[in-house]
Amino acid sequence: MSSAMELPDEFQNGFLAADENNMNISVETEEDELIAKLDDGNKEMRVIKRAKRPSKYPYVPKEGSDEGGRSPTAPANGDHKPLPYTKNSRKSRTGRRGLPKKGGGGGKGTWGKPGSELEESGLPTDEHDPNYDSDTQETYALKMTEPKLTFEEFKKPVEEEVLEYFENSDPEEVIRSIQELNIQGEEKHKLVYLIVEMGLEHKPHHRELCSMLISDLYGSILTPEELMQGFDDVLNDLADITIDCPEAPAMVGKFLARAVADDCIPPKFVVNHAGRISCVQARLALEKADTLMKMKHGMVRLDNVWGIGGGSRPVKSLIKKMVLLLKEYLSARDIKTATSCLIDLEVPHFHHELVYEAILMVIEDTTEPAAELMVKFLKSLCDSVVVTKTQMDQGIKRIYDNMPDICLDVPAAYCLLERFATMAFKVNLFSEKNMEDMPNRGRKRFVSEGDGGKEKPVSCLK
């Protein structure tokens, strides 16, 4: 197909005789015909070359061929030894499958490396991303800061911790929780206001715990200035507090005196505020605190300014108070007052002692009106669930077990107990099991004086 090849006569004549306007069309037609003739007649002149593509099967020589030709197909028996793969082959040369590309984060349609979403900043970094914003690509120096809590934000967590403190009496846990809240200096003094306010709403035992907590907060969290500022807030709001708690001035005075006794605030705090505050309730509180501090051995007595709590009160003291309570009830016959006094003792786990002392008092009194009054009182305590069924049964069982000793002082104790149990059973105070377990005094036969102090045999008794 070189330019020196001779062309047929027909082509030369036709090309030379062509018109100028139809020259291009004629040339194209004649070239097509020429190419078609050359394809048919000169196929042997063309050199056919095979593309160099890697085959998945190695080439082996043809059978009976001396030229060493290669067959593109693999033999059927598969006994040949594979030849080394070419450099453009994508298959592993070691026969092992490698790890994914880029740890699984490369390629089209991939989701990235596992866990890479945790390292993302959330802002697009590709300029071709429609959400890309050049203003957000600036570098910033991050600094860890803790937010400041307002009074409304830390009020509820502190109240929950103080209520839990009333149950377990562990001030270290409260201090640890308050330190974790990160209350700043401007709001710390309100802790005193919050603790005193909660103490006013609870019982004397809880107020003792509040005074102890304020003493423990001193130095670890609160400074003397913050403590004085907290009590100053209490005195300023005492008029509003007195509306809900009429006894607030006297109790706040005890809180102030106890804080002075614990060396949390100086005594001059009470003296200096006496002439500067115009609130009547605040003046009463300061006068109460001043009176407690000036009494003889006042600082020593202030350790028990809230009295002794129920759980920490000695057992003998509790028994004495319960006996006085029952005697006052038999004298005044006021069930409401007697119930209130029992609740103020704050010893629900020791109410079985009240049941024991009540039944013992009926046996020692030996009168029927005392038995009726005591049945009425115990029935009221059970109906109002002040004394539980368990405590009632435990007190009755103690009486049953001690009847031999009681009978030494009161010979008719068994008869008196039976009369009281019958009255109590009629009002459903004693259960059927209590009646079944009630002891009876057994009769014993004694020998006569002339028998020498020996018991008679059974045959003689018959």
Side-chain angles (χ1 to χ4, degrees):
M1 305 201 290
S2 62
S3 59
M5 183 183 300
E6 293 184 1
L7 299 176
D9 295 337
E10 294 83 3
F11 177 75
Q12 294 179 0
N13 295 333
F15 179 75
L16 294 174
D19 186 65
E20 244 182 55
N21 296 330
N22 298 327
M23 184 180 295
N24 294 333
I25 298 174
S26 300
V27 169
E28 292 177 0
T29 303
E30 295 298 335
E31 285 180 352
D32 292 341
E33 293 176 359
L34 178 59
I35 291 171
K37 292 179 180 180
L38 290 175
D39 289 341
D40 295 338
N42 300 325
K43 285 185 179 180
E44 297 180 356
M45 299 173 61
R46 297 174 61 184
V47 178
I48 300 175
K49 294 184 178 180
R50 187 179 300 276
K52 295 182 179 180
R53 296 187 181 90
S55 175
K56 62 180 179 178
Y57 298 110
Y59 286 57
V60 296
K62 293 183 178 181
E63 295 181 2
S65 175
D66 296 334
E67 298 178 358
R70 296 181 180 271
S71 173
T73 59
N77 53 12
D79 294 338
H80 66 276
K81 182 178 180 181
L83 296 177
Y85 288 94
T86 59
K87 65 178 181 178
N88 294 327
S89 177
R90 295 186 179 183
K91 291 193 175 184
S92 174
R93 298 181 181 180
T94 60
R96 298 179 182 178
R97 184 176 180 180
L99 296 175
K101 185 178 180 181
K102 297 183 180 180
K108 184 178 180 181
T110 58
W111 287 61
K113 297 181 181 180
S116 60
E117 65 275 3
L118 301 177
E119 302 176 358
E120 294 181 358
S121 61
L123 300 175
T125 56
D126 188 3
E127 296 181 357
H128 301 286
D129 194 323
N131 297 324
Y132 176 80
D133 186 5
S134 59
D135 297 336
T136 61
Q137 302 303 317
E138 299 179 2
T139 57
Y140 297 94
L142 301 179
K143 182 180 180 181
M144 182 180 296
T145 59
E146 297 182 359
K148 296 182 180 180
L149 298 179
T150 62
F151 176 70
E152 297 298 331
E153 291 175 345
F154 71 77
K155 180 179 179 181
K156 186 175 180 180
V158 172
E159 287 180 349
E160 293 177 355
E161 292 295 333
V162 174
L163 291 175
E164 186 177 355
Y165 168 66
F166 289 161
E167 299 294 333
N168 55 28
S169 304
D170 186 6
E172 295 181 359
E173 181 66 25
V174 182
I175 295 174
R176 192 181 307 110
S177 301
I178 293 176
Q179 289 175 345
E180 292 176 356
L181 291 175
N182 189 31
I183 302 175
Q184 301 300 324
E186 299 177 357
E187 302 289 341
K188 279 185 180 180
H189 68 278
K190 294 185 179 180
L191 288 172
V192 180
Y193 179 90
L194 187 58
I195 294 172
V196 172
E197 185 181 20
M198 294 187 67
L200 298 177
E201 298 174 354
H202 289 76
K203 300 178 182 179
H205 173 60
H206 299 141
R207 298 186 195 113
E208 174 68 22
L209 292 175
C210 289
S211 296
M212 294 172 59
L213 180 60
I214 292 174
S215 177
D216 292 333
L217 291 176
Y218 172 75
S220 59
I221 294 180
L222 300 175
T223 61
E225 292 75 14
E226 292 170 345
L227 280 170
M228 290 188 289
Q229 188 177 359
F231 279 112
D232 195 11
D233 293 345
V234 175
L235 293 173
N236 293 333
D237 294 346
L238 194 55
D240 298 333
I241 297 174
T242 308
I243 298 175
D244 299 329
C245 181
E247 299 179 357
M251 290 189 288
V252 171
K254 291 183 178 181
F255 272 113
L256 288 170
R258 179 61 180 272
V260 173
D262 293 338
D263 294 331
C264 296
I265 58 176
K268 66 178 182 180
F269 175 82
V270 178
V271 178
N272 295 339
H273 278 69
R276 293 187 302 173
I277 293 182
S278 59
C279 178
V280 179
Q281 290 79 6
R283 286 183 177 179
L284 293 175
L286 293 172
E287 290 176 1
K288 179 68 174 178
D290 188 46
T291 303
L292 292 173
M293 290 188 299
K294 289 181 179 180
M295 66 180 180
K296 188 177 181 180
H297 304 293
M299 294 301 174
V300 178
R301 294 183 179 181
L302 286 176
D303 291 339
N304 296 326
V305 68
W306 301 112
I308 301 176
S312 58
R313 188 180 288 113
V315 175
K316 291 183 179 180
S317 175
L318 287 173
I319 295 174
K320 184 178 180 180
K321 288 183 178 296
M322 288 183 177
V323 171
L324 292 175
L325 182 155
L326 293 171
K327 289 182 178 181
E328 184 180 355
Y329 165 71
L330 291 177
S331 176
R333 301 183 179 184
D334 188 355
I335 295 179
K336 186 176 180 180
T337 303
T339 304
S340 178
C341 293
L342 179 62
I343 295 174
D344 290 341
L345 292 178
E346 300 179 5
V347 283
H349 60 281
F350 200 61
H351 284 173
H352 61 85
E353 180 66 28
L354 178 75
V355 178
Y356 175 84
E357 295 293 341
I359 300 176
L360 180 61
M361 192 174 293
V362 169
I363 295 174
E364 292 177 348
D365 189 88
T366 69
T367 60
E368 188 173 350
E372 293 178 353
L373 289 174
M374 205 60 71
V375 168
K376 187 177 180 181
F377 178 52
L378 294 177
K379 177 63 175 175
S380 174
L381 293 177
C382 288
D383 293 342
S384 58
V385 201
V386 175
V387 176
T388 61
K389 179 65 176 173
T390 304
Q391 294 291 318
M392 178 66 70
D393 293 339
Q394 188 174 353
I396 295 171
K397 187 177 183 302
R398 287 182 58 194
I399 284 289
Y400 290 171
D401 295 340
N402 293 337
M403 281 303 293
D405 297 335
I406 297 172
C407 189
L408 297 177
D409 298 331
V410 184
Y414 285 95
C415 296
L416 296 172
L417 176 63
E418 185 177 357
R419 183 183 64 183
F420 177 82
T422 303
M423 297 172 62
F425 182 73
K426 290 180 180 180
V427 295
N428 296 326
L429 182 62
F430 275 36
S431 63
E432 294 182 359
K433 188 176 185 306
N434 296 139
M435 298 299 292
E436 293 175 359
D437 296 340
M438 186 173 58
N440 295 321
R441 182 174 184 178
R443 296 183 179 182
K444 296 182 180 180
R445 295 186 178 184
F446 296 94
V447 297
S448 61
E449 295 180 359
D451 293 333
K454 296 181 180 180
E455 294 184 1
K456 294 181 179 182
V458 180
S459 58
C460 297
L461 295 176
K462 292 181 180 180

